[in-house]
Amino acid sequence: IKKQQQDVLGFLEANKIEFEEKDIAANEENRKWMRENVPEDSRPASGNPLPPRLFNDSRYLGDYEAFFEARENNAVYAFLGLTAPPGSKVGVSVSPSKP
């Protein structure tokens, strides 16, 4: 979990994306907020959702796997619900051309 959190934070910092980190280990209110705001279909079959979980304000974006996939596809800004800065790589869909 710690490695995944560091990976997300490192990416956000390196790309100068503003964020607010909420510590759920030391703050019961943050833990309760996260549990209440992770949609039912994104929760584990048993137990509580584990960090890191990403939100844009109170809109749930996804977990580490969703973030990692977006990063691999150069689509992190779209995943985060942000406009990509000029000159940045943005995920593009390419359809094969017809012969």
Side-chain angles (χ1 to χ4, degrees), residues 19-74:
F19 65 92
E20 177 185 353
E21 183 179 5
K22 292 192 176 202
D23 186 347
I24 64 165
N27 186 310
E28 181 60 35
E29 284 300 312
N30 287 342
R31 184 173 27 250
K32 183 179 175 189
W33 185 92
M34 184 188 80
R35 289 178 183 162
E36 290 173 352
N37 286 284
V38 172
E40 198 67 40
D41 62 345
S42 297
R43 295 177 187 202
S46 63
N48 291 309
L50 297 174
R53 298 291 171 142
L54 290 93
F55 296 85
N56 186 335
D57 291 324
S58 61
R59 184 171 58 91
Y60 180 70
L61 303 175
D63 59 8
Y64 177 77
E65 285 74 27
F67 170 81
F68 182 81
E69 186 175 319
R71 190 176 68 187
E72 290 295 304
N73 293 320
N74 292 321

Side-chain angles (χ1 to χ4, degrees), residues 1-9 50-52 64-65 67:
I1 290 174
K2 188 74 169 168
K3 186 176 189 289
Q4 291 177 350
Q5 289 171 324
Q6 290 172 338
D7 189 29
V8 172
L9 294 175
L50 297 174
Y64 177 77
E65 285 74 27
F67 170 81

